[in-house]
Amino acid sequence: MESLDDAGVYKLTDELAIIQTVDFFTPIVDDPYTFGQIAAANALSDVYAMGGKPLTAMNLVCFPIKSLDISVLQDILRGGADKLREAGVVLVGGHSIDDAELKYGLSVTGTVHPKRLVTNAGAKAGDKLILTKPLGTGIISTAVKAGVVNEETVAKLTRCMATLNDKASSVMQEVGVHACTDITGFGLLGHAIQVAENSQVGIEFHLASIPYFPEVIQFAQQGLCPGGLYRNKDFYSNRVEFINPIPEYMQYILFDTQTSGGLLISLSPRKAELLLDRLQQAGVEDAVSIGEVVSKPKGMVALI
Ligand code: CO
Ligand code: CO
Ligand code: CO
């Protein structure tokens, strides 16, 4: 099957398709166990975003065996394994190489009924858009590396990134939606533009409704931004329209690269309240409505 998403989908029978995805990256937090958890939650997310059920996973490891103690790797793998267990996913193998820079991630295989597959290409004019996690993880992770984030904020950040999108995904499948994507490296605006392009629609976000970690403002104002954020801004800015002038820090938040970010769900307005209620009941407490799908301009995102 053609894929417009981060994961590939292959139809085996009329009742069964497999979803395959792979993600790995360098550490974004200091604690190895937490990094393992976050890497696994992030890798699983592309399957959840498509409404699938992840079944198996394989570890990908690049490790500087001469300069780092092997216990660091053990802790990372334990974090990953614990997150997979929480997701009900079986670790079936992996591969490791000696590399100067530590990297960890997983390839994940899941399944979905081909008719139940949710892609980023199904958004319809009139839909409401729901986002399930706050923004700002890239900026705060950069600030963590600069050593300027207090422990409480680090804990809040890591809890958010280590949270699986499994509940959001199953609620979305119960309620029935038109499109979904997970917010990761291209930031809210980059992923929203992909939804708009692939669905041949426009998107309007209500700036005041967009959730983010409050701490992120000061770090963005200090320029503690990941490199990918500036690349997103350069690449996608010509498809974003700011109806009113907005502060630069807010633009940074909207373009911020997210790790293990939330789902952006597009669904019929008559189902939006039901979805939000069910998400609350399922413990996805940060989920909010942040805008609508419009018929045009196609492939564009407006901030109102
Ligand atoms: Co991915
Ligand atoms: Co994705
Ligand atoms: Co091998």
Side-chain angles (χ1 to χ4, degrees):
M1 291 170 81
E2 170 185 8
S3 176
L4 304 161
D5 293 82
D6 303 333
V9 183
Y10 187 84
K11 190 163 118 177
L12 294 171
T13 69
D14 286 345
E15 274 81 48
L16 191 67
I18 54 169
I19 304 174
Q20 291 180 290
T21 183
V22 58
D23 261 296
F24 65 109
F25 44 72
T26 55
I28 44 161
V29 289
D30 289 334
D31 178 58
Y33 177 80
T34 308
F35 172 53
Q37 286 194 307
I38 293 168
N42 182 72
L44 292 163
S45 179
D46 281 324
V47 176
Y48 291 130
M50 300 190 90
K53 181 174 170 28
L55 296 177
T56 60
M58 303 184 91
N59 281 328
L60 282 121
V61 176
C62 304
F63 194 78
I65 194 70
K66 290 175 201 78
S67 60
L68 266 186
D69 195 90
I70 193 72
S71 68
V72 173
L73 179 57
Q74 287 163 347
D75 286 345
I76 292 171
L77 296 180
R78 197 163 49 81
D82 281 356
K83 196 44 73 174
L84 292 178
R85 198 167 305 123
E86 181 189 333
V89 171
V90 180
L91 183 69
V92 292
H95 190 82
S96 59
I97 61 164
D98 183 11
D99 192 12
E101 195 176 21
L102 168 58
K103 300 170 199 84
Y104 172 62
L106 305 98
S107 77
V108 179
T109 301
T111 56
V112 69
H113 191 292
K115 290 204 172 76
R116 306 268 291 157
L117 181 68
V118 182
T119 72
N120 64 11
K124 292 182 171 62
D127 279 2
K128 291 279 181 200
L129 292 163
I130 311 292
L131 180 65
T132 66
K133 285 186 187 181
L135 302 175
T137 61
I139 292 167
I140 301 180
S141 299
T142 306
V144 169
K145 281 179 188 151
V148 296
V149 185
N150 65 40
E151 268 176 41
E152 196 186 324
T153 304
V154 172
K156 198 163 63 167
L157 170 79
T158 53
R159 206 180 314 125
C160 176
M161 292 192 290
T163 299
L164 293 170
N165 284 326
D166 59 343
K167 294 188 181 73
S169 177
S170 60
V171 169
M172 153 177 109
Q173 283 290 36
E174 270 167 45
V175 171
V177 306
H178 291 152
C180 180
T181 189
D182 59 337
I183 306 303
T184 52
F186 300 125
L188 175 66
L189 290 179
H191 288 282
I193 286 165
Q194 292 176 357
V195 171
E197 273 182 1
N198 293 333
S199 304
Q200 286 295 293
V201 293
I203 283 174
E204 285 181 3
F205 285 138
H206 304 275
L207 198 56
S209 315
I210 294 176
Y212 54 85
F213 293 100
E215 296 83 356
V216 81
I217 296 175
Q218 69 177 101
F219 302 135
Q221 282 171 334
Q222 292 163 24
L224 292 165
C225 297
L229 181 158
Y230 299 108
R231 286 192 292 279
N232 289 340
K233 194 164 179 287
D234 287 346
F235 190 74
Y236 288 111
S237 275
N238 63 350
R239 278 163 283 174
V240 179
E241 188 185 1
F242 296 101
I243 304 295
N244 297 303
I246 71 165
E248 192 165 51
Y249 74 78
M250 197 60 217
Q251 294 199 32
Y252 288 159
I253 292 171
L254 298 170
F255 284 113
D256 184 30
T257 57
Q258 303 300 286
T259 297
S260 190
L263 300 183
L264 177 67
I265 299 168
S266 183
L267 81 170
S268 132
R270 65 182 177 83
K271 288 185 175 178
E273 281 306 314
L274 177 66
L275 182 81
L276 285 169
D277 285 350
R278 294 260 180 100
L279 286 170
Q280 285 291 328
Q281 287 163 18
V284 188
E285 284 155 7
D286 292 319
V288 281
S289 172
I290 62 166
E292 290 96 32
V293 178
V294 292
S295 59
K296 60 184 182 185
K298 295 189 198 315
M300 296 277 294
V301 176
L303 273 296
I304 59 174

